[in-house]
Each structure stands twice: as C-alpha cells, then as structure tokens.
Amino acid sequence: MSETPATEPEREQQGAGDGVIVTRALTKRYRGGQLAVDGLDLTVPADSVFGFLGPNGSGKTTTIRMLMGLIEPTSGSAHVLGRPMPRSVRAVLPHVGALIEGPALYGFLSGRDNLLRYDAADPAADPRTRRARVAAALDRVGLAAAAGKKAKAYSLGMKQRLGLAAALLQPRKLLVLDEPTNGLDPQGMREIRSLIRELASDGTTVFLSSHLLDEIEQVCTHAAVMAQGRLITQGPVADLAAGTRGRLVVTTPDAADAARTLKEQGAADVVIAEDRVSAEPPQDRDLAEVNAALVAAGVRVRGFGVERASLEDAFVALTGEGFDVAG
Ligand SMILES: Nc1ncnc2c1ncn2[C@@H]1O[C@H](COP(=O)(O)OP(=O)(O)OP(=O)(O)O)[C@@H](O)[C@H]1O
Ligand SMILES: [Mg+2]
C-alpha cells in the first residue's frame, strides 16, 4: 500500500516538530568571520512566554534576525509557526508581531502617524479599522497622551513603546520582542511586563530576549540561556533554577565567627553582608550538622536556611561565570 504523499505545508509541519519556533543546528557566521550563533537547537512551545537570555554579544539579536528572515543562516534550519525560514517569510510574517533592536521610525511624523503609515504598508491590515487599532495599540503601551508628538522628540523608552505598539496593531499568534524593556524606567518595565503577561493570557506565544535575569524570572514560563553563540540550557524556568542548589544563609550578630565555622564545615564562597552570612552549602554534610557546629562555636544563630536558587545561580553554575560578561 502506498502512502499518500504529504502536502507541502504538512511536510513542512513534520519537519518543524513540536513548537512555535524550532531551530536545528542553526548557525550564523558573519562575513568578518565572527561566529555569532553556533549550532543552536531551540524549541519554543506554543502558549509559552519564552525568555531568550544571554549577556551582550551572545547572539540573541542575530538569532532573532534569522527567525524573522532578515538574514540568512550560514547553516542549519529555523521553523517559525511550522514553516521554514527564510523561505516562507511571506506566509509567516503576517502572523508574527516583531520588535527588533532600534525600531525604524520617521522622526518627522508623530507616533500616531508612524503607526498609521506602518499599518498602511501591511496588505493584510483592514484600512477601515486602522484608526481604531492604532489608538488601541497606543493606549496599550501607554503612549496615548504622547501620540501627537513627533517621534524624533521621543525618548528611548517612548520609541521602544512605539515599536511595541507596531507589533500589536493586529492580533498575532506569535510576538518576537528583542529586549522589549530596553531603555525603559522601572515603572515602564513593570507596565511592559504586565502587558506581556496579558498578551500571553490571551493566547499569544511570546518570545522575548533579555539580558536581565530577574526580568525573565518575573514574566517567562520557559527560558533558554545563551553564552557566546551557544545554547547552554533551555526549559521551564522553574526547572532551570531547581537544578541548582540555593545558597545557605545564616543570620547572626556574630558574622565573622559564623563565616569561619562555615568554611571549616566545607562551605564555599562565603560572603558576609552585615548580619547575613551566605555560602555554597557543603557537598558532603547534613545541614543540621552545619547548624550544630555553628551553635557549638558560640555563634548566635537567628536565622538558618537555604534560599531558593535563582536563575542567576543557575547561570553561574552552568557557565562558571558571572552573568554580565561581554561576549
Ligand atoms: N552585522 C554584523 N557583522 C559582524 N558581526 C556582527 C554583526 N552583528 C553582530 N555581530 C557580532 O555577533 C555577535 C553576536 O551579536 P548579537 O547582536 O547577536 O548579540 P546580542 O546577544 O543581541 O547582544 P546584545 O545583548 O548586546 O544586544 C557579537 O560578537 C557581535 O559583535
Ligand atoms: Mg541584541
């Protein structure tokens, strides 16, 4: 019995496997020889808020440019919404809202007119609803009051918000946001984060890059960690941090004595901050023994516990480096 051959879209779907974004051995070497992305295997599950995390120069924007069909990979493949990129760019992009480093704006036009013009360039956009959609997008990103101001007079954070508004003019299956909170003040960051959560709860998959660990912990369900063009790990955020042991924290007025005893007990990386002493817990010892040793040494222990590991702990454990290393 002969099998029915798969139609082209089905075949592409099969090639993509599970995931809204799937890359296999995706690699980009720039003309100058710089290996910016090195054999990346990424799987972004549907309905996730997926954080793409890495220090400056780790290859985040290069990856996003390949996903959006803006640059060709040197080798490997990328599927977005089940279709190969950049080959299916025309079919895929109408379903994707994107904010990529430094949104292109017309400085002489107002924020509102920039969006009207941007929307008019989209053949899939309905001109009858254009004004209403532009107003709604401006409102969503908190730019309604500044909508009439010329874009050249916008601050970096306002430009970033306008770029985000452009990505929100139509309902999308996928949003790809390159450092969406870049240039925003803390209040602006909170607003954008809550907007991202809201979009996700409406069923949009959100892929966002960031070099801010706590940002990823706050908004993302899943994350991938990059360093120097390579994927270090990916998975649900809770699992990434759970694989790492948290730090032992002792609260005491006798911090120096506590630090000495902890070192004797085999704790590493002992740090004193006023009445708080933290350390990597010893590998081979029960924490109850460590606590008993502190008390036996005359340390007045007011607090003793292991902190939940953060994504930052996981990153340091995985790379052996602090997070803010240049690529
Ligand atoms: N057009 C280009 N030509 C040559 N090299 C490039 C180009 N764009 C980026 N690179 C290099 O590729 C590497 C990855 O850069 P990329 O912009 O993808 O990093 P990133 O993770 O987005 O960093 P950031 O957090 O600073 O935005 C860097 O070493 C960078 O210098
Ligand atoms: Mg970048």
Side-chain angles (χ1 to χ4, degrees), residues 60-61 101 178-179:
K60 303 181 297 293
T61 298
E101 244 173 37
D178 193 7
E179 309 251 5

Side-chain angles (χ1 to χ4, degrees), residues 55-62 64-65 101 178-179 209 211:
N56 294 136
S58 55
K60 303 181 297 293
T61 298
T62 301
I64 288 174
R65 289 202 177 110
E101 244 173 37
D178 193 7
E179 309 251 5
S209 78
H211 59 272

Side-chain angles (χ1 to χ4, degrees), residues 170-241:
Q170 306 246 43
R172 312 283 190 184
K173 289 185 189 153
L174 170 65
L175 280 176
V176 175
L177 310 174
D178 193 7
E179 309 251 5
T181 60
N182 195 20
L184 297 178
D185 53 32
Q187 173 60 21
M189 286 178 153
R190 271 195 293 278
E191 286 169 24
I192 297 304
R193 284 178 197 145
S194 82
L195 174 60
I196 289 171
R197 287 192 204 99
E198 207 180 295
L199 292 163
S201 70
D202 293 346
T204 305
T205 304
V206 183
F207 180 81
L208 70 130
S209 78
S210 177
H211 59 272
L212 302 176
L213 284 153
D214 56 335
E215 174 159 288
I216 299 278
E217 288 203 289
Q218 284 174 38
V219 295
C220 295
T221 58
H222 294 69
V225 181
M226 295 282 284
Q228 297 173 4
R230 288 223 165 111
L231 182 72
I232 297 196
T233 185
Q234 67 182 319
V237 167
D239 293 1
L240 296 181

Side-chain angles (χ1 to χ4, degrees), residues 285-299:
R285 207 155 290 191
D286 194 308
L287 288 177
E289 279 178 54
V290 177
N291 194 5
L294 286 166
V295 174
V299 174

Side-chain angles (χ1 to χ4, degrees), residues 6 40 56 74 86 89 99 101 111 119 125 138 151 153 169 188 202 218 241 255 263 268 280 293 316 322:
L40 179 61
N56 294 136
T74 307
V89 82
L99 169 69
E101 244 173 37
D119 195 68
L138 286 164
L169 286 170
D202 293 346
Q218 284 174 38
K263 280 180 200 155
E280 292 300 317
V316 172

